[in-house]
Amino acid sequence: MKKMVITGGKELSGRIKINGAKNSIVALLPAAILSDDESTIYNIPDITDVEVLTKILILLNCQITKTSDYIKIDNKKIENIAIPEDLSNRLRASYYFMGSLLTKFKHVEIYYPGGCNFGARQIDYHLKAFEALGAKIRTENNKFIIEAEELIGTKINLDFPSVGATINVMLASVKAKGKTIINNAACEPEILNIATFLNSMGAKIKGAGTKTIEIIGVKKLSNGLVGVIPDRIEAGTYIIAGALVGKNLEICNIIPQHLTSLLTILDKLGVKYILDKDKIIVNKSVNLNPINLKTEVYPGFPTDLAQPISVLLSKANGISSITETIYNKRMGHVKYLNEMGANIKVEDNKEIIKGPIDFHGTLVEASDLRAGATLFLAALLAKEQTTIINVEFILRGYEKIVKKLSEVGANISVVEIK
Ligand code: EPU
């Protein structure tokens, strides 16, 4: 068990380089087993989710070569081995092995995925889509057994543009017989990143990044090669840090188009920044306007930044609100942010945030990944020391956070709890 200790009140100045996107790499690694030969993925983020997925690949007898720059996954000796619960429940994205192992071996044995708890996070769209493609599913003591004699392309109409289901359908249909169409597909940039990787192996996927994706099944998939896109949520988190305590804080290796909805909100708030081709310079901004925002699927405001931006809204002059529309329960940060001085009330799925307030340091607990990010942002403002426990959540998504924030002037450490 580890804890993060931050003494805030310091200006952050210098450059933070954004790593590869967590929500891309966690799908690219399971997708990599689809190559009949080997695959190489560049710009790998150094986060704990990657460690867990690599363990699963090793369990499947993939040969892994990892450097600081890339990972090579050689599938020549891959075997179909049931993925045990203590690995599948470490993260949500273990469910991508359902789609990729189904294509590879027509038989998958895996337990329910884990991940942050925001209320019921069902996987019914995934399972329905596998069935539509010809799979039969049964459960045995919490274990899913998914098998298919043959996968046959079909039309899949998603009830909601789920990121995970869209990717899983691509993984399960890439070698299916004939054509698969996904209607109401998720449009998040990570979807295109996965499709680009599969197409580099010889898959025939068109329309990724739009609401309709067409997949023509192929017989073989050769060597794959892809670079992970920059993490728009990590970027967004540090941009918010810049608006709180930045002095010409530069966030580089970003794709500005992926951040449009955040930048629109920052404009409304009155945050000062200079945007360049692949970087942004952000300054501490005062006299912020209160605003009302709502989370939406891409290209709308991302749910993954709703918790972090509540720190910035707590500094605005008046009452702001955030309506969470993607998850039932993603308010784990509110209790602790209020203990740090925020004035936030929750009404159903809406945060009502009264500002401006000053944050003070105390002992708080990360209830999930982005709740943890929210707390470290508030801690950067508090002059006293803040201790965040359950810091393992934060390490799932923020690469080298101590190094990155220390290098721009923060007083931060992560230490083992004895
Ligand atoms: N949903 C269902 N049934 C399904 C699938 C989804 O009801 O079969 C519901 C979910 O319960 C949720 C909504 O649909 O209410 C959206 O879920 P989605 O499937 O889009 O989310 P996900 O694939 O499970 C990914 C990211 C999340 C991010 C969401 C939305 C990964 C591993 N996770 O989750 O990332 O919040 O998309 O953009 O890619 C994070 O990074 O902090 C994080 C939680």
Side-chain angles (χ1 to χ4, degrees):
M1 288 259 286
K2 291 178 176 150
K3 63 180 180 182
M4 180 179 278
V5 182
I6 298 179
T7 305
K10 314 265 183 296
E11 275 180 346
L12 301 190
S13 182
R15 177 185 293 166
I16 297 181
K17 185 168 179 243
I18 296 307
N19 58 239
K22 168 180 95 67
N23 290 344
S24 269
I25 188 64
V26 297
L28 290 169
L29 290 171
I33 67 161
L34 288 173
S35 162
D36 299 324
D37 200 350
E38 63 176 37
S39 293
T40 307
I41 307 172
Y42 285 89
N43 197 28
I44 304 287
D46 183 5
I47 52 176
T48 49
D49 276 10
V50 168
E51 285 169 27
V52 179
L53 291 167
T54 306
K55 275 191 189 149
I56 296 180
L57 291 171
I58 291 169
L59 173 89
L60 298 174
N61 209 25
C62 297
Q63 313 297 306
I64 305 291
T65 313
K66 197 160 181 261
T67 71
S68 57
D69 196 30
Y70 67 82
I71 185 166
K72 193 174 271 192
I73 301 111
D74 181 334
N75 298 322
K76 288 184 209 77
K77 294 185 181 157
I78 189 168
E79 289 171 61
N80 193 13
I81 292 168
I83 298 173
E85 194 161 20
D86 65 340
L87 283 176
S88 73
N89 72 9
R90 297 270 298 278
L91 76 176
R92 190 89 200 139
S94 57
Y95 60 23
Y96 290 131
F97 282 104
M98 290 181 168
S100 61
L101 284 170
L102 187 59
T103 287
K104 191 91 183 173
F105 295 107
K106 307 282 185 302
H107 179 107
V108 194
E109 294 191 26
I110 190 168
Y111 288 81
Y112 205 83
C116 296
N117 180 6
F118 318 130
R121 289 182 80 182
Q122 296 194 47
I123 57 166
D124 50 330
Y125 308 152
H126 305 235
L127 301 177
K128 260 197 268 172
F130 296 147
E131 282 174 339
L133 288 163
K136 298 258 180 294
I137 303 174
R138 60 200 160 90
T139 46
E140 239 174 46
N141 300 328
N142 210 19
K143 181 165 75 173
F144 288 95
I145 300 166
I146 310 172
E147 37 195 0
E149 271 171 31
E150 188 179 33
L151 292 163
I152 301 175
T154 186
K155 203 176 266 184
I156 310 246
N157 301 314
L158 293 177
D159 294 339
F160 180 86
S162 152
V163 172
T166 301
I167 294 175
N168 241 337
V169 176
M170 293 197 301
L171 297 174
S173 62
V174 76
K175 280 183 154 182
K177 193 169 161 195
K179 191 198 282 185
T180 300
I181 306 262
I182 312 176
N183 287 319
N184 199 24
C187 300
E188 272 70 1
E190 291 76 19
I191 310 279
L192 179 57
N193 206 195
I194 315 311
T196 305
F197 183 41
L198 294 171
N199 284 344
S200 79
M201 296 179 195
K204 290 194 175 155
I205 304 176
K206 277 200 313 204
T210 74
K211 292 220 136 291
T212 308
I213 302 179
E214 182 188 289
I215 303 131
I216 311 263
V218 294
K219 289 216 160 65
K220 281 181 173 282
L221 290 171
S222 56
N223 289 356
L225 178 68
V226 78
V228 185
I229 56 169
D231 194 311
R232 61 199 167 91
I233 307 302
E234 187 202 21
T237 307
Y238 290 131
I239 291 171
I240 294 168
L244 294 167
V245 288
K247 186 172 180 209
N248 291 329
L249 182 68
E250 182 181 316
I251 323 292
C252 68
N253 192 32
I254 61 164
I255 298 180
Q257 301 92 287
H258 293 175
L259 293 161
T260 305
S261 60
L262 171 66
L263 298 179
T264 307
I265 291 295
L266 295 186
D267 290 339
K268 287 189 186 157
L269 278 160
V271 170
K272 297 191 206 84
Y273 63 85
I274 302 164
L275 186 62
D276 210 336
K277 213 167 65 201
D278 65 351
K279 66 179 183 195
I280 184 168
I281 297 170
V282 196
N283 276 292
K284 174 178 175 159
S285 305
V286 289
N287 287 326
L288 299 174
N289 307 309
I291 53 152
N292 299 311
L293 76 84
K294 191 162 89 172
T295 63
E296 282 167 298
V297 295
Y298 189 82
F301 191 87
T303 169
D304 299 339
L305 285 177
Q307 293 161 291
I309 207 166
S310 59
V311 178
L312 195 55
L313 298 193
S314 291
K315 299 302 283 180
N317 293 322
I319 296 178
S320 298
S321 71
I322 304 176
T323 306
E324 170 55 53
T325 71
I326 310 293
Y327 294 109
N328 294 334
K329 283 191 194 156
R330 206 177 191 178
M331 300 287 173
H333 58 296
V334 171
K335 173 174 182 269
Y336 296 103
L337 217 48
N338 282 344
E339 285 176 14
M340 293 180 74
N343 184 343
I344 304 179
K345 284 203 178 82
V346 176
E347 284 177 8
D348 297 324
N349 268 354
K350 192 175 190 176
E351 275 179 75
I352 298 167
I353 304 169
K354 202 166 175 189
I357 57 92
D358 285 327
F359 287 101
H360 49 256
T362 183
L363 172 67
V364 288
E365 185 177 334
S367 57
D368 59 78
L369 166 59
R370 308 300 170 190
T374 308
L375 297 175
F376 76 64
L377 287 172
L380 291 173
L381 280 168
K383 290 202 176 61
E384 310 81 11
Q385 183 172 294
T386 302
T387 301
I388 306 175
I389 56 170
N390 271 352
V391 86
E392 284 74 11
F393 276 119
I394 300 177
L395 304 180
R396 285 190 46 207
Y398 291 88
E399 170 186 277
K400 299 189 179 85
I401 180 167
V402 171
K403 182 169 185 285
K404 286 187 181 184
L405 283 175
S406 305
E407 281 175 359
V408 294
N411 183 340
I412 174 173
S413 59
V414 169
V415 287
E416 223 40 75
I417 301 176
K418 296 202 178 85

